[in-house]
Amino acid sequence: MGKLFFYVALALVLVSGIIFGSPDGKLAIHPMDQFTVEPFFGGAHVGLFTVTNVTLWMALAIAAIAAILVMGTARRSIVPSRSQSVAELAYGFVYKMVEDVAGKDAVKFFPYIFTVFMFIVTSNFLGLIPMSFTTTSHFAVTGVLALVVFVAITVTGFVLHGAKFLALFWVSSAPLPLRPVLALIEVISYFVRPVSLCIRLAGNIMAGHAVLKVFAGFAGALGAASFLPIFAISAFYALEVLVAFIQAYVFTILTCVYLKDALHPSH
């Protein structure tokens, strides 16, 4: 695994030498350019129905998920193939998370939660490919994911419990004079949930990729001494592999926690 990180980092350095190295040998690093949304078929205007690099990599993420979950399990066997093993591990991991965190009555929401997890983790890993585009680094993507979770859970709470869902904000175990203050805090924290989900995911992914580009730019500009930043790039790339999974896990487990509040709103 260590050799894999080293060779991938070396490839990033070689690519960065082309991208970040200017003809006069001066340092030209633009780490945020990788997040620019551009029309896939050329042009400068991005409209509502314009096919962009974001569209392309979201489609590739969906295709990769379909390849793993559908094509990889089409020929199921007692001795699983690699793709079948990955699909079964992902399925079992998320199913157990939903059951343990939100309870058995939350299993009916498993298909959606599993879909969200697979989309985020696949998009994160695809974004680690050199010259790729990380869709989960954009607040427009993570914001929609967070907003859908927030609306769906809120609607579920009111459908199942009606006005009793508001008991989520009333801390009955606290002293009576403090309850109104705590209720206000609970309401504010509840509406901050989609914002925190959105910023946490996009912010961590964006920051990690920007740091990788900065170190790759240094390596491309150092010429013969470019081997020095390779170790930093290797460490950061290994960290980004871990972050890619952890951020998908955090988003999913928080969704399960919020779902538990909707199913069991009383404190």
Side-chain angles (χ1 to χ4, degrees), residues 108-131:
K108 56 186 175 182
F109 298 96
F110 166 77
Y112 174 73
I113 297 175
F114 182 63
T115 302
V116 171
F117 173 81
M118 290 301 299
F119 176 77
I120 295 176
V121 75
T122 304
S123 298
N124 289 351
F125 280 121
L126 286 178
L128 293 174
I129 301 174
M131 306 301 294

Side-chain angles (χ1 to χ4, degrees), residues 53-227:
N53 48 356
V54 181
T55 310
L56 172 64
W57 285 97
M58 289 180 71
L60 290 176
I62 295 172
I65 295 170
I68 295 173
L69 299 181
V70 179
M71 299 175 60
T73 59
R75 297 180 179 179
R76 294 183 295 273
S77 61
I78 297 177
V79 180
S81 61
R82 292 182 180 179
S83 57
Q84 181 181 339
S85 297
V86 171
E88 290 178 352
L89 285 172
Y91 184 96
F93 175 77
V94 179
Y95 187 93
K96 190 174 187 303
M97 184 195 307
V98 174
E99 192 175 42
D100 291 346
V101 175
K104 292 185 178 180
D105 50 347
V107 172
K108 56 186 175 182
F109 298 96
F110 166 77
Y112 174 73
I113 297 175
F114 182 63
T115 302
V116 171
F117 173 81
M118 290 301 299
F119 176 77
I120 295 176
V121 75
T122 304
S123 298
N124 289 351
F125 280 121
L126 286 178
L128 293 174
I129 301 174
M131 306 301 294
S132 66
F133 187 90
T134 313
T135 56
T136 47
S137 65
H138 273 256
F139 295 108
V141 176
T142 59
V144 170
L145 291 173
L147 190 61
V148 170
V149 169
F150 175 77
V151 173
I153 288 176
T154 303
V155 170
T156 299
F158 279 107
V159 169
L160 294 179
H161 306 285
K164 292 182 179 179
F165 178 64
L166 297 176
L168 176 66
F169 309 110
W170 190 255
V171 186
S172 56
S173 59
L176 185 58
L178 291 178
R179 292 179 190 178
V181 178
L182 293 177
L184 179 60
I185 295 174
E186 289 289 336
V187 170
I188 295 174
S189 65
Y190 185 83
F191 283 97
V192 168
R193 286 178 177 182
V195 179
S196 64
L197 280 177
C198 167
I199 294 178
R200 182 186 293 107
L201 177 56
N204 279 281
I205 299 300
M206 182 185 296
H209 282 61
V211 171
L212 274 177
K213 286 291 186 179
V214 169
F215 276 97
F218 288 153
L222 288 177
S226 62
F227 66 91

